[in-house]
Amino acid sequence: MIYEQKHPIIERILNNIDKVIIGKRDIAELSLVALLAEGHVLLEDVPGVGKTMMVRSLAKSMNASFKRIQFTPDLLPSDVTGTSIYNPREQEFFFRPGPIMGNIILADEINRTSPKTQSALLEGMEEASVTVDGVTRKLEKPFFVMATQNPIEYEGTYPLPEAQLDRFLLKMKMGYPEAAEEMELLSRSQTTHPIENLEPVVSLEDVRQMQQDVRKIYVDDTMKRYIVELADRTRKDSHVYLGASPRGSIALMKAAQAYAFMNGREYVLPDDIQYLAPFVFSHRIILKSEAKYDGISAEDLVQTLLTKIPVPVQRLVK
């Protein structure tokens, strides 16, 4: 599909990430969609495909503070949010912030920790604040979480329940690189890893301004009806046990606004919705057992439903 020229700041960020991550520009774009829409990403893939490098490259490109939390079965909520520690000299408690107090957070293998600790992270994602010892502390903007989980190894894991999955704006997979891309990766990493020489290309203030600008992107009523009808079809389809929630509809609209902004437009097109819908809705849909046995995935279902809904062809001028 043909778009206007990409937003110049977005182009700078993507080109910078390309210096580290090879052949995954679509994943970098989707990560920026979530960041600009003030949402978060669940990245489900096997180890070693570049998930950590992706989020580190994003943080370095905007000179943001980067924190990595390795989720383990013995991790406590206070290990994520921070805790109050008593200072005997001052005879008072002081707050020691946890790793959630950053701009870009990598929540590595989130399904390896207990639901109680998962909830500590998800509170920050949903409310943009954390509460410790009865005191609520706001998180600095931009605040972006990329959580990862391994789809292969399930032993000793705590799968995220549907209500928590719903908090993620997008769910996606990186996949393995092509042979030529992997060869290039080996060449770049032979002497030093390219992440070490990556320099910031935008400021945090630029990102905050873009987040505000995204909210102003025009969404026509025809686009809203298109989103609502798609969400409604997921709830009524015979293969579906639980369809997309209204939060999912809001998420798709916000993601479409961010994607339109990134592509230099002031309004949302049906193409934006069609492209983003599988990433926004797939983890919000629970299929019936029969559908899984038939080899139907949630992504396939969303794509099929899109072909059955008439595409809006008229855009009203605001």
Side-chain angles (χ1 to χ4, degrees), residues 5-255:
Q5 188 175 3
K6 268 206 168 34
H7 193 288
I9 295 180
I10 297 299
E11 191 66 35
R12 288 209 303 271
I13 297 174
L14 291 173
N15 289 338
N16 210 41
I17 293 174
D18 282 344
K19 296 176 183 177
V20 178
I21 305 296
I22 303 169
K24 301 297 178 185
R25 196 176 178 92
D26 56 337
I27 300 299
E29 286 190 6
L30 288 168
S31 300
L32 281 171
V33 165
L35 173 65
L36 296 184
E38 299 180 65
H40 310 280
V41 167
L42 179 61
L43 196 55
E44 186 178 69
D45 220 322
V46 296
V49 293
K51 300 186 293 291
T52 301
M53 287 300 107
M54 174 65 73
V55 69
R56 281 188 63 192
S57 301
L58 182 61
K60 275 202 157 191
S61 295
M62 60 185 67
N63 202 22
S65 60
F66 169 74
K67 303 291 179 65
R68 180 178 182 270
I69 309 172
Q70 180 63 55
F71 282 85
T72 57
D74 60 347
L75 197 73
L76 300 174
S78 59
D79 296 327
V80 175
T81 61
T83 187
S84 295
I85 299 176
Y86 183 70
N87 185 339
R89 179 177 295 178
E90 303 292 336
Q91 294 188 347
E92 63 180 9
F93 286 90
F94 70 94
F95 177 67
R96 175 174 289 175
I100 198 173
M101 299 290 187
N103 298 124
I104 308 293
I105 312 297
L106 174 64
D108 214 1
E109 295 190 289
I110 189 174
N111 58 334
R112 288 212 169 274
T113 197
S114 67
K116 187 175 182 179
T117 305
Q118 290 173 357
S119 298
L121 176 70
L122 293 165
E123 177 196 352
M125 291 167 53
E126 184 69 14
E127 308 296 336
S129 63
V130 293
T131 303
V132 180
D133 295 334
V135 179
T136 300
R137 293 174 170 84
K138 298 295 289 183
L139 298 173
E140 182 188 356
K141 290 186 177 182
F143 175 68
F144 172 68
V145 173
M146 180 176 283
T148 72
Q149 62 180 14
N150 186 345
I152 304 299
E153 195 175 345
Y154 288 111
E155 186 175 350
T157 63
Y158 302 85
L160 290 171
E162 284 67 36
Q164 293 183 2
L165 282 172
D166 207 21
R167 263 65 177 182
F168 289 96
L169 186 79
L170 305 174
K171 180 184 176 185
M172 53 194 185
K173 302 176 182 179
M174 287 192 71
Y176 290 115
E178 299 292 335
E181 295 167 350
E182 196 163 358
M183 285 286 291
E184 175 66 19
L185 179 62
L186 295 180
S187 298
R188 290 189 188 182
S189 305
Q190 188 169 351
T191 55
T192 182
H193 200 286
I195 190 72
E196 303 302 329
N197 301 317
L198 204 65
E199 296 291 335
V201 292
V202 299
S203 68
L204 286 179
E205 186 53 43
D206 291 329
V207 177
R208 285 189 281 264
Q209 184 59 54
M210 288 191 295
Q211 288 179 330
Q212 293 181 20
D213 292 341
V214 162
R215 300 174 194 168
K216 302 173 185 176
I217 296 297
Y218 178 60
V219 186
D220 193 79
D221 283 347
T222 58
M223 299 298 104
K224 293 175 184 175
R225 279 194 291 270
Y226 192 39
I227 293 171
V228 170
E229 185 169 0
L230 177 59
D232 188 58
R233 292 286 186 102
T234 67
R235 300 162 194 160
K236 295 177 179 177
D237 191 273
S238 60
H239 298 100
V240 175
Y241 175 73
L242 181 69
S245 66
R247 185 188 283 121
S249 300
I250 296 171
L252 182 52
M253 180 183 71
K254 289 184 174 181

